[in-house]
Amino acid sequence: MTKPLPKINTSSLDDLFTTEEQRQDAKLEKVIKIPIDDIADFKKHPFNVRLDEEMESLIKSVQENGILVPVLVRPSKKGKGYEMVSGHRRKFAMIKNGATEIDAIVRDLDDDQATIIMVDSNIQRENILPSERGFAYKMKLDAMKHQGKRVDLTSSQVGTKSSRADTQLAEEEGKSRNQIQRYIRLTYLVKPLRDMVDGISEDGFKIALNPAYELSFLKIDEQNDLVQCIQDTLATPSLAQAQELKRLSQKNELDEDKIVDMLMDVKPNQKEKLSLKMEEINKYFPKSYTPMQKKDIIIKLLGDWAKRKDKSMER
């Protein structure tokens, strides 16, 4: 009886007819053109794409030179199209220039890998808002924990494999763990308060990072009450007042009356302020202008008006 012939593994037959150089080249990532409509934004992308002065400059650069660095995408989990990992602003600039395709590198990445790359490729940019930084740090920290970075919560060593994830993150970002946590706490604020921290509140109110950290411990309904009280009194809490609001909240003794009484107190070195409703002046500015840009223009116009007034008085 004739013995059957042994089975041949055909999976490696291609290797017999290709050179080592060709096999290595096949493994390299390549830049390909992808329809822009096939690329969805990264889920919960923390960095807003704003049509500001920096973006206007990028749009002009793309118009003249195209994009100098391809965007990075990963295959969509839905089985069709791609998800942007790095390149949201470049994609926006290409769209503004009427492009329908974009140079891209496609890379297979899991959620944690994609999140870390997305944050790292954006976090060093200028003009990042405090809350954007907070959401980005939170996303990256969660991804690092998923990857097993946080393996020993009792470790006090720094720069070792057993370091806590937040210590690792702080080292990578060149900040202290406390700074990282203060930014992350901003994600617990309701949006109107986050806008005040970011300096983009429609009413022009501003809150510094340290008071905002304390306010982040207030319950959601208390934060909403605080927003209303700020609008009613035209005052924002100082660090000492924010700490007191937090203390009262933790004792379940905080209500609107206490918030108003506290905000109405005259703070040391408090200066008289003029408040304008943004809806009163928005019609005079392009929609893309930030509150700070509007303020700068108003001050410049007042300066020009004062000069003309002085000249008229000299005649």
Side-chain angles (χ1 to χ4, degrees):
M1 185 175 179
T2 305
K3 292 184 178 180
L5 294 173
K7 291 185 178 181
I8 300 175
N9 182 4
T10 60
S11 62
S12 60
L13 285 179
D14 288 343
D15 291 346
L16 298 176
F17 304 102
T18 58
T19 65
E20 177 63 22
E21 183 179 0
Q22 289 173 320
R23 289 193 292 273
Q24 291 300 323
D25 183 65
K27 297 178 181 179
L28 296 177
E29 293 179 329
K30 293 180 175 61
V31 177
I32 61 174
K33 287 192 178 296
I34 293 178
I36 291 178
D37 289 343
D38 288 352
I39 305 175
D41 289 341
F42 194 91
K43 187 177 180 181
K44 296 183 179 180
H45 191 253
F47 302 99
N48 297 313
V49 176
R50 293 180 290 275
L51 188 57
D52 52 18
E53 186 176 343
E54 187 179 359
M55 176 55 73
E56 293 284 3
S57 177
L58 178 58
I59 291 172
K60 184 178 179 181
S61 174
V62 168
Q63 182 182 34
E64 296 173 351
N65 309 302
I67 59 170
L68 303 179
V69 179
V71 301
L72 177 64
V73 301
R74 65 171 179 164
S76 174
K77 288 184 174 181
K78 298 178 181 178
K80 182 180 179 181
Y82 305 88
E83 181 182 37
M84 184 70 78
V85 176
S86 174
H88 291 79
R89 299 177 72 255
R90 280 165 281 168
K91 172 187 170 185
F92 182 86
M94 289 287 283
I95 292 173
K96 284 296 182 181
N97 279 296
T100 58
E101 292 183 324
I102 193 169
D103 290 340
I105 294 174
V106 181
R107 185 180 300 171
D108 284 320
L109 299 165
D110 62 32
D111 290 347
D112 295 330
Q113 291 171 326
T115 296
I116 291 173
I117 292 174
M118 179 273 296
V119 172
D120 287 347
S121 63
N122 285 278
I123 202 68
Q124 301 302 328
R125 276 183 18 225
E126 295 182 8
N127 303 323
I128 295 177
L129 300 179
S131 71
E132 291 178 332
R133 193 175 293 277
F135 279 106
Y137 285 159
K138 187 176 187 299
M139 291 179 70
K140 183 175 179 180
L141 185 61
D142 289 342
M144 292 171 68
K145 290 177 181 177
H146 293 159
Q147 288 186 332
K149 296 284 185 181
R150 188 177 185 179
V151 296
D152 183 3
L153 298 182
T154 63
S155 173
S156 60
Q157 292 177 289
V158 177
T160 68
K161 291 183 179 180
S162 60
S163 295
R164 286 179 53 171
D166 52 2
T167 299
Q168 179 77 15
L169 176 59
E171 289 177 349
E172 292 179 5
E173 299 302 325
K175 298 183 181 297
S176 69
R177 273 172 46 188
N178 284 342
Q179 285 177 307
I180 295 292
Q181 291 301 329
R182 284 182 181 279
Y183 277 112
I184 290 177
R185 284 301 311 181
L186 298 181
T187 67
Y188 293 85
L189 291 171
V190 295
K191 189 177 186 304
L193 290 179
R194 291 202 309 269
D195 287 349
M196 294 180 197
V197 182
D198 289 337
I200 59 173
S201 170
E202 281 295 301
D203 293 318
F205 297 115
K206 291 184 179 181
I207 297 178
L209 182 60
N210 287 338
Y213 169 79
E214 304 294 340
L215 297 175
S216 72
F217 291 94
L218 271 58
K219 303 176 184 68
I220 296 298
D221 58 336
E222 294 170 340
Q223 292 187 34
N224 288 323
D225 288 342
L226 174 60
V227 171
Q228 185 61 53
C229 292
I230 288 174
Q231 294 172 343
D232 293 342
T233 64
L234 304 181
T236 55
S238 65
L239 175 57
Q241 289 174 330
Q243 291 170 334
E244 179 62 12
L245 290 172
K246 173 184 173 183
R247 187 186 70 81
L248 291 173
S249 173
Q250 291 175 336
K251 294 177 65 177
N252 293 319
E253 296 178 0
L254 186 61
D255 56 36
E256 282 192 69
D257 290 337
K258 286 187 174 65
I259 296 175
V260 170
D261 289 343
M262 195 174 298
L263 294 180
M264 291 295 288
D265 283 345
V266 178
K267 303 179 183 68
N269 302 319
Q270 183 173 346
K271 297 180 180 179
E272 186 177 1
K273 293 182 179 180
L274 172 66
S275 178
L276 295 173
K277 291 287 186 182
M278 294 305 291
E279 55 263 27
E280 296 174 341
I281 62 174
N282 278 340
K283 61 183 177 182
Y284 301 109
F285 296 94
K287 291 182 179 180
S288 61
Y289 276 39
T290 65
M292 184 58 66
Q293 288 174 313
K294 296 172 187 176
K295 175 185 172 183
D296 291 342
I297 290 177
I298 291 172
I299 291 175
K300 183 180 184 302
L301 291 174
L302 287 173
D304 293 341
W305 171 79
K307 290 177 182 177
R308 291 196 301 270
K309 184 171 177 293
D310 289 343
K311 287 182 179 179
S312 65
M313 291 179 66
E314 291 173 359
R315 294 173 183 171

